[in-house]
Amino acid sequence: QVQLVESGGGLVQPGGSLRLSCAASGPIANINTMAWYRQAPGKQRELVATIRSGTSTNYAGSVKGRFTISRDNAKNTVYLQMNSLKPEDTAVYYCNADISQRGRLGLVGYWGQGTQVTVSS
């Protein structure tokens, strides 16, 4: 059973920083694109950042220059370093990964359970 487990959320003051982690486990053959999404109360889930199996990254305009996505392929883990946090960054953050399982064909998208990030003074 492939699973994604996030960690690192919490309460932080405006201007502060947090680092989210998301580790994939299970019968994994390959991980393609990994991504972070977020969903604020009453809003739709939105894409925050993506990173392909190499180092190619993409960011939402609202976080560009403040957030950095990275990955450790040896650990099947993706990170999101969040700096200069604003109250509008408050949301549940979800990781997503396109994973092929050992012995199976094709990629399947998996989601983590989400981690709460609250930016408030």
Side-chain angles (χ1 to χ4, degrees):
Q1 182 89 358
V2 172
Q3 290 186 329
L4 299 181
V5 178
E6 298 123 335
S7 61
L11 173 64
V12 64
Q13 292 187 342
S17 297
L18 280 176
R19 189 192 194 207
L20 305 183
S21 300
C22 173
S25 63
I28 296 169
N30 183 59
I31 302 178
N32 196 345
T33 300
M34 305 184 84
W36 287 96
Y37 288 74
R38 67 185 181 186
Q39 187 167 19
K43 294 188 177 181
Q44 289 188 334
R45 191 173 296 189
E46 64 173 354
L47 179 64
V48 176
T50 62
I51 184 167
R52 295 192 178 275
S53 56
T55 57
S56 175
T57 59
N58 190 43
Y59 297 92
S62 59
V63 307
K64 196 171 294 184
R66 299 187 298 122
F67 291 10
T68 302
I69 189 170
S70 61
R71 63 192 285 173
D72 184 334
N73 292 327
K75 296 181 179 179
N76 291 334
T77 298
V78 62
Y79 305 96
L80 187 68
Q81 177 67 42
M82 305 185 293
N83 299 327
S84 303
L85 283 161
K86 305 175 181 180
E88 51 263 43
D89 294 318
T90 295
V92 178
Y93 283 71
Y94 299 90
C95 69
N96 172 271
D98 294 330
I99 296 174
S100 59
Q101 292 191 50
R102 290 195 298 266
R104 297 187 181 184
L105 296 176
L107 290 169
V108 176
Y110 291 88
W111 291 91
Q113 81 284 358
T115 185
Q116 177 70 47
V117 171
T118 302
V119 184
S120 175
S121 55

mmCIF file of all heavy atoms in Angstrom, residues 12-19 38 61-68 80-90 93 117-120:
data_model
loop_
_atom_site.group_PDB
_atom_site.id
_atom_site.type_symbol
_atom_site.label_atom_id
_atom_site.label_comp_id
_atom_site.label_asym_id
_atom_site.label_seq_id
_atom_site.Cartn_x
_atom_site.Cartn_y
_atom_site.Cartn_z
ATOM 1 N N VAL A 12 2.454 29.802 13.078
ATOM 2 C CA VAL A 12 3.613 30.671 12.926
ATOM 3 C C VAL A 12 3.148 32.107 12.777
ATOM 4 O O VAL A 12 2.043 32.355 12.265
ATOM 5 C CB VAL A 12 4.469 30.224 11.719
ATOM 6 C CG1 VAL A 12 3.700 30.369 10.421
ATOM 7 C CG2 VAL A 12 5.792 30.960 11.668
ATOM 8 N N GLN A 13 3.958 33.044 13.238
ATOM 9 C CA GLN A 13 3.620 34.458 13.108
ATOM 10 C C GLN A 13 3.889 34.951 11.691
ATOM 11 O O GLN A 13 4.728 34.385 10.973
ATOM 12 C CB GLN A 13 4.440 35.279 14.101
ATOM 13 C CG GLN A 13 4.072 35.030 15.555
ATOM 14 C CD GLN A 13 4.786 35.993 16.485
ATOM 15 O OE1 GLN A 13 5.785 36.616 16.126
ATOM 16 N NE2 GLN A 13 4.257 36.126 17.700
ATOM 17 N N PRO A 14 3.189 35.993 11.273
ATOM 18 C CA PRO A 14 3.482 36.580 9.946
ATOM 19 C C PRO A 14 4.956 36.935 9.824
ATOM 20 O O PRO A 14 5.552 37.459 10.764
ATOM 21 C CB PRO A 14 2.596 37.821 9.925
ATOM 22 C CG PRO A 14 1.454 37.476 10.824
ATOM 23 C CD PRO A 14 2.055 36.651 11.930
ATOM 24 N N GLY A 15 5.520 36.613 8.663
ATOM 25 C CA GLY A 15 6.937 36.828 8.435
ATOM 26 C C GLY A 15 7.805 35.651 8.812
ATOM 27 O O GLY A 15 9.001 35.632 8.498
ATOM 28 N N GLY A 16 7.225 34.667 9.463
ATOM 29 C CA GLY A 16 7.977 33.497 9.900
ATOM 30 C C GLY A 16 8.140 32.452 8.804
ATOM 31 O O GLY A 16 7.735 32.664 7.652
ATOM 32 N N SER A 17 8.736 31.321 9.193
ATOM 33 C CA SER A 17 9.033 30.254 8.242
ATOM 34 C C SER A 17 8.574 28.901 8.789
ATOM 35 O O SER A 17 8.514 28.698 10.010
ATOM 36 C CB SER A 17 10.538 30.179 7.974
ATOM 37 O OG SER A 17 11.011 31.369 7.376
ATOM 38 N N LEU A 18 8.262 28.015 7.873
ATOM 39 C CA LEU A 18 7.964 26.616 8.192
ATOM 40 C C LEU A 18 8.513 25.757 7.060
ATOM 41 O O LEU A 18 8.595 26.205 5.907
ATOM 42 C CB LEU A 18 6.465 26.370 8.315
ATOM 43 C CG LEU A 18 5.742 26.751 9.598
ATOM 44 C CD1 LEU A 18 4.247 26.509 9.439
ATOM 45 C CD2 LEU A 18 6.283 25.987 10.800
ATOM 46 N N ARG A 19 8.832 24.511 7.403
ATOM 47 C CA ARG A 19 9.258 23.546 6.389
ATOM 48 C C ARG A 19 8.370 22.323 6.487
ATOM 49 O O ARG A 19 8.317 21.660 7.530
ATOM 50 C CB ARG A 19 10.708 23.139 6.598
ATOM 51 C CG ARG A 19 11.275 22.298 5.444
ATOM 52 C CD ARG A 19 12.591 21.694 5.838
ATOM 53 N NE ARG A 19 13.320 21.167 4.684
ATOM 54 C CZ ARG A 19 14.191 20.170 4.768
ATOM 55 N NH1 ARG A 19 14.444 19.605 5.927
ATOM 56 N NH2 ARG A 19 14.848 19.750 3.681
ATOM 57 N N ARG A 38 -2.831 23.394 -1.521
ATOM 58 C CA ARG A 38 -3.385 23.883 -0.267
ATOM 59 C C ARG A 38 -4.856 24.209 -0.455
ATOM 60 O O ARG A 38 -5.310 24.515 -1.559
ATOM 61 C CB ARG A 38 -2.617 25.103 0.243
ATOM 62 C CG ARG A 38 -2.752 26.356 -0.613
ATOM 63 C CD ARG A 38 -1.854 27.456 -0.074
ATOM 64 N NE ARG A 38 -1.963 28.689 -0.863
ATOM 65 C CZ ARG A 38 -1.199 29.766 -0.677
ATOM 66 N NH1 ARG A 38 -0.255 29.766 0.276
ATOM 67 N NH2 ARG A 38 -1.373 30.842 -1.423
ATOM 68 N N GLY A 61 1.834 31.982 -8.581
ATOM 69 C CA GLY A 61 2.324 33.349 -8.504
ATOM 70 C C GLY A 61 2.318 33.911 -7.096
ATOM 71 O O GLY A 61 3.180 34.717 -6.733
ATOM 72 N N SER A 62 1.355 33.478 -6.280
ATOM 73 C CA SER A 62 1.206 34.020 -4.930
ATOM 74 C C SER A 62 2.330 33.589 -3.985
ATOM 75 O O SER A 62 2.511 34.208 -2.930
ATOM 76 C CB SER A 62 -0.139 33.598 -4.346
ATOM 77 O OG SER A 62 -0.243 32.191 -4.314
ATOM 78 N N VAL A 63 3.080 32.551 -4.330
ATOM 79 C CA VAL A 63 4.146 32.070 -3.441
ATOM 80 C C VAL A 63 5.527 32.186 -4.060
ATOM 81 O O VAL A 63 6.529 31.937 -3.381
ATOM 82 C CB VAL A 63 3.898 30.609 -3.016
ATOM 83 C CG1 VAL A 63 2.498 30.440 -2.437
ATOM 84 C CG2 VAL A 63 4.121 29.647 -4.180
ATOM 85 N N LYS A 64 5.594 32.570 -5.312
ATOM 86 C CA LYS A 64 6.883 32.645 -6.008
ATOM 87 C C LYS A 64 7.815 33.619 -5.282
ATOM 88 O O LYS A 64 7.409 34.735 -4.938
ATOM 89 C CB LYS A 64 6.671 33.069 -7.459
ATOM 90 C CG LYS A 64 7.858 32.822 -8.361
ATOM 91 C CD LYS A 64 7.486 33.070 -9.825
ATOM 92 C CE LYS A 64 6.470 32.082 -10.323
ATOM 93 N NZ LYS A 64 6.177 32.255 -11.771
ATOM 94 N N GLY A 65 9.045 33.176 -5.052
ATOM 95 C CA GLY A 65 10.010 34.004 -4.345
ATOM 96 C C GLY A 65 9.979 33.828 -2.839
ATOM 97 O O GLY A 65 10.894 34.280 -2.138
ATOM 98 N N ARG A 66 8.943 33.185 -2.319
ATOM 99 C CA ARG A 66 8.829 32.966 -0.863
ATOM 100 C C ARG A 66 8.928 31.480 -0.511
ATOM 101 O O ARG A 66 9.445 31.128 0.550
ATOM 102 C CB ARG A 66 7.505 33.518 -0.340
ATOM 103 C CG ARG A 66 7.337 34.999 -0.551
ATOM 104 C CD ARG A 66 6.076 35.517 0.153
ATOM 105 N NE ARG A 66 4.851 34.922 -0.351
ATOM 106 C CZ ARG A 66 3.984 34.252 0.412
ATOM 107 N NH1 ARG A 66 4.217 34.086 1.709
ATOM 108 N NH2 ARG A 66 2.877 33.758 -0.128
ATOM 109 N N PHE A 67 8.383 30.615 -1.369
ATOM 110 C CA PHE A 67 8.366 29.180 -1.122
ATOM 111 C C PHE A 67 9.368 28.491 -2.051
ATOM 112 O O PHE A 67 9.572 28.916 -3.194
ATOM 113 C CB PHE A 67 6.988 28.593 -1.392
ATOM 114 C CG PHE A 67 5.912 28.997 -0.417
ATOM 115 C CD1 PHE A 67 6.103 29.998 0.522
ATOM 116 C CD2 PHE A 67 4.678 28.354 -0.434
ATOM 117 C CE1 PHE A 67 5.123 30.354 1.417
ATOM 118 C CE2 PHE A 67 3.668 28.696 0.446
ATOM 119 C CZ PHE A 67 3.894 29.713 1.360
ATOM 120 N N THR A 68 9.946 27.402 -1.565
ATOM 121 C CA THR A 68 10.857 26.590 -2.365
ATOM 122 C C THR A 68 10.508 25.118 -2.211
ATOM 123 O O THR A 68 10.456 24.609 -1.088
ATOM 124 C CB THR A 68 12.310 26.797 -1.937
ATOM 125 O OG1 THR A 68 12.665 28.188 -2.064
ATOM 126 C CG2 THR A 68 13.261 25.975 -2.817
ATOM 127 N N LEU A 80 8.672 21.457 1.305
ATOM 128 C CA LEU A 80 8.236 22.794 0.944
ATOM 129 C C LEU A 80 8.751 23.750 2.021
ATOM 130 O O LEU A 80 8.266 23.726 3.148
ATOM 131 C CB LEU A 80 6.717 22.886 0.831
ATOM 132 C CG LEU A 80 6.192 24.216 0.302
ATOM 133 C CD1 LEU A 80 6.577 24.409 -1.164
ATOM 134 C CD2 LEU A 80 4.677 24.314 0.468
ATOM 135 N N GLN A 81 9.751 24.537 1.659
ATOM 136 C CA GLN A 81 10.261 25.562 2.552
ATOM 137 C C GLN A 81 9.451 26.828 2.328
ATOM 138 O O GLN A 81 9.403 27.351 1.209
ATOM 139 C CB GLN A 81 11.749 25.826 2.270
ATOM 140 C CG GLN A 81 12.341 26.928 3.115
ATOM 141 C CD GLN A 81 12.419 26.572 4.583
ATOM 142 O OE1 GLN A 81 12.783 25.460 4.956
ATOM 143 N NE2 GLN A 81 12.053 27.517 5.440
ATOM 144 N N MET A 82 8.815 27.297 3.386
ATOM 145 C CA MET A 82 7.938 28.467 3.286
ATOM 146 C C MET A 82 8.515 29.589 4.127
ATOM 147 O O MET A 82 8.637 29.457 5.352
ATOM 148 C CB MET A 82 6.528 28.108 3.766
ATOM 149 C CG MET A 82 5.928 26.913 3.040
ATOM 150 S SD MET A 82 4.218 26.585 3.517
ATOM 151 C CE MET A 82 4.455 26.075 5.210
ATOM 152 N N ASN A 83 8.870 30.672 3.477
ATOM 153 C CA ASN A 83 9.427 31.844 4.149
ATOM 154 C C ASN A 83 8.497 33.035 3.967
ATOM 155 O O ASN A 83 7.624 33.035 3.110
ATOM 156 C CB ASN A 83 10.804 32.178 3.583
ATOM 157 C CG ASN A 83 11.812 31.076 3.770
ATOM 158 O OD1 ASN A 83 11.779 30.340 4.754
ATOM 159 N ND2 ASN A 83 12.738 30.946 2.829
ATOM 160 N N SER A 84 8.716 34.051 4.789
ATOM 161 C CA SER A 84 7.915 35.281 4.708
ATOM 162 C C SER A 84 6.423 34.965 4.663
ATOM 163 O O SER A 84 5.678 35.490 3.828
ATOM 164 C CB SER A 84 8.319 36.097 3.469
ATOM 165 O OG SER A 84 9.692 36.408 3.490
ATOM 166 N N LEU A 85 5.989 34.118 5.568
ATOM 167 C CA LEU A 85 4.601 33.665 5.560
ATOM 168 C C LEU A 85 3.638 34.809 5.862
ATOM 169 O O LEU A 85 3.939 35.711 6.663
ATOM 170 C CB LEU A 85 4.416 32.532 6.556
ATOM 171 C CG LEU A 85 4.941 31.177 6.054
ATOM 172 C CD1 LEU A 85 5.164 30.216 7.206
ATOM 173 C CD2 LEU A 85 3.968 30.585 5.045
ATOM 174 N N LYS A 86 2.477 34.728 5.216
ATOM 175 C CA LYS A 86 1.426 35.731 5.355
ATOM 176 C C LYS A 86 0.161 35.061 5.885
ATOM 177 O O LYS A 86 -0.037 33.861 5.678
ATOM 178 C CB LYS A 86 1.134 36.367 3.991
ATOM 179 C CG LYS A 86 2.343 36.959 3.297
ATOM 180 C CD LYS A 86 1.968 37.450 1.904
ATOM 181 C CE LYS A 86 3.162 38.031 1.173
ATOM 182 N NZ LYS A 86 2.796 38.504 -0.188
ATOM 183 N N PRO A 87 -0.725 35.839 6.505
ATOM 184 C CA PRO A 87 -1.990 35.241 6.971
ATOM 185 C C PRO A 87 -2.763 34.535 5.856
ATOM 186 O O PRO A 87 -3.416 33.515 6.107
ATOM 187 C CB PRO A 87 -2.764 36.454 7.519
ATOM 188 C CG PRO A 87 -1.685 37.387 7.974
ATOM 189 C CD PRO A 87 -0.574 37.222 6.971
ATOM 190 N N GLU A 88 -2.659 35.027 4.639
ATOM 191 C CA GLU A 88 -3.374 34.396 3.530
ATOM 192 C C GLU A 88 -2.764 33.064 3.096
ATOM 193 O O GLU A 88 -3.327 32.376 2.240
ATOM 194 C CB GLU A 88 -3.458 35.344 2.323
ATOM 195 C CG GLU A 88 -2.133 35.947 1.894
ATOM 196 C CD GLU A 88 -1.923 37.342 2.476
ATOM 197 O OE1 GLU A 88 -2.230 37.550 3.683
ATOM 198 O OE2 GLU A 88 -1.431 38.221 1.740
ATOM 199 N N ASP A 89 -1.634 32.688 3.670
ATOM 200 C CA ASP A 89 -1.074 31.361 3.425
ATOM 201 C C ASP A 89 -1.713 30.302 4.328
ATOM 202 O O ASP A 89 -1.432 29.103 4.163
ATOM 203 C CB ASP A 89 0.440 31.364 3.659
ATOM 204 C CG ASP A 89 1.191 32.226 2.668
ATOM 205 O OD1 ASP A 89 0.863 32.190 1.472
ATOM 206 O OD2 ASP A 89 2.112 32.958 3.107
ATOM 207 N N THR A 90 -2.555 30.731 5.255
ATOM 208 C CA THR A 90 -3.223 29.792 6.157
ATOM 209 C C THR A 90 -4.103 28.831 5.366
ATOM 210 O O THR A 90 -4.950 29.258 4.578
ATOM 211 C CB THR A 90 -4.071 30.552 7.182
ATOM 212 O OG1 THR A 90 -3.213 31.329 8.018
ATOM 213 C CG2 THR A 90 -4.887 29.592 8.040
ATOM 214 N N TYR A 93 -2.329 22.017 3.930
ATOM 215 C CA TYR A 93 -1.411 21.738 2.830
ATOM 216 C C TYR A 93 -1.359 20.234 2.578
ATOM 217 O O TYR A 93 -1.187 19.442 3.510
ATOM 218 C CB TYR A 93 -0.023 22.287 3.157
ATOM 219 C CG TYR A 93 0.072 23.783 2.989
ATOM 220 C CD1 TYR A 93 -0.569 24.639 3.884
ATOM 221 C CD2 TYR A 93 0.776 24.358 1.940
ATOM 222 C CE1 TYR A 93 -0.516 26.017 3.729
ATOM 223 C CE2 TYR A 93 0.850 25.738 1.773
ATOM 224 C CZ TYR A 93 0.196 26.551 2.672
ATOM 225 O OH TYR A 93 0.256 27.922 2.511
ATOM 226 N N VAL A 117 -1.451 24.579 8.317
ATOM 227 C CA VAL A 117 -0.533 25.712 8.490
ATOM 228 C C VAL A 117 -1.380 26.934 8.816
ATOM 229 O O VAL A 117 -2.294 27.288 8.067
ATOM 230 C CB VAL A 117 0.290 25.964 7.206
ATOM 231 C CG1 VAL A 117 1.068 27.271 7.328
ATOM 232 C CG2 VAL A 117 1.229 24.796 6.952
ATOM 233 N N THR A 118 -1.095 27.546 9.962
ATOM 234 C CA THR A 118 -1.819 28.729 10.394
ATOM 235 C C THR A 118 -0.832 29.860 10.602
ATOM 236 O O THR A 118 0.136 29.714 11.366
ATOM 237 C CB THR A 118 -2.594 28.472 11.685
ATOM 238 O OG1 THR A 118 -3.508 27.378 11.488
ATOM 239 C CG2 THR A 118 -3.386 29.706 12.106
ATOM 240 N N VAL A 119 -1.066 30.971 9.919
ATOM 241 C CA VAL A 119 -0.200 32.146 10.039
ATOM 242 C C VAL A 119 -1.004 33.244 10.727
ATOM 243 O O VAL A 119 -1.954 33.787 10.166
ATOM 244 C CB VAL A 119 0.297 32.624 8.662
ATOM 245 C CG1 VAL A 119 1.279 33.780 8.835
ATOM 246 C CG2 VAL A 119 0.930 31.483 7.897
ATOM 247 N N SER A 120 -0.626 33.537 11.952
ATOM 248 C CA SER A 120 -1.394 34.488 12.749
ATOM 249 C C SER A 120 -0.538 35.050 13.856
ATOM 250 O O SER A 120 0.344 34.363 14.390
ATOM 251 C CB SER A 120 -2.626 33.798 13.343
ATOM 252 O OG SER A 120 -3.318 34.670 14.203
#
